[in-house]
Amino acid sequence: MSRQPLLKVYGHIYPVDDALYAALENACADAMPEEDDIPVLERDGDMARFSFEGTYFPLDEVLAALTAHLRPEHQGKLDVLDMEGWQLMRHTFTQGRIDAHSAPLNNVLDYSGH
């Protein structure tokens, strides 16, 4: 019997160079996804995409890697859905900064502007 993942993480950042992508790969190495055949991090041209469902995602390590490499031209977001705590934490990357905001999952459509 499979159980629901405790965390879901989705996002992207662009433009990504080799150094940033390598740092993100290293930061994601300890992730514990439900399915091993689905990559946690993928490169699509100059964009890095995050897709994770599982029990442990190394958020602090990923944010540290982003902080070390973030430049004003980077844009993107990283959404962390805590299914147990029923919260969304959104990290946005713009103008060389990382901003974080949270909302209950019940309010996600209002929070995301849809």
Side-chain angles (χ1 to χ4, degrees):
M1 170 167 53
S2 71
R3 59 183 194 147
Q4 294 295 318
L6 297 176
L7 289 174
K8 296 181 180 187
V9 180
Y10 306 104
H12 64 277
I13 185 167
Y14 65 92
V16 173
D17 59 19
D18 292 339
L20 174 53
Y21 192 79
L24 292 173
E25 273 187 317
N26 187 49
C28 289
D30 291 333
M32 296 171 61
E34 292 289 313
E35 304 289 332
D36 287 335
D37 60 336
I38 300 171
V40 173
L41 181 70
E42 286 187 292
R43 193 166 187 174
D44 183 6
D46 70 346
M47 181 180 292
R49 296 184 186 274
F50 299 90
S51 182
F52 171 85
E53 294 186 2
T55 55
Y56 174 73
F57 182 81
L59 180 61
D60 292 339
E61 291 84 347
V62 169
L63 293 175
L66 287 165
T67 299
H69 293 271
L70 204 59
R71 297 187 313 262
E73 62 269 20
H74 286 123
Q75 294 185 36
K77 68 178 180 176
L78 187 66
D79 287 342
V80 179
L81 290 81
D82 175 355
M83 305 310 288
E84 190 172 55
W86 207 244
Q87 282 284 117
L88 165 70
M89 175 67 75
R90 173 166 288 168
H91 300 84
T92 55
F93 319 122
T94 184
Q95 299 184 3
R97 291 190 339 259
I98 299 174
D99 294 316
H101 304 280
S102 65
L105 285 177
N106 289 346
N107 299 6
V108 168
L109 289 179
D110 293 335
Y111 173 75
S112 65
H114 291 94

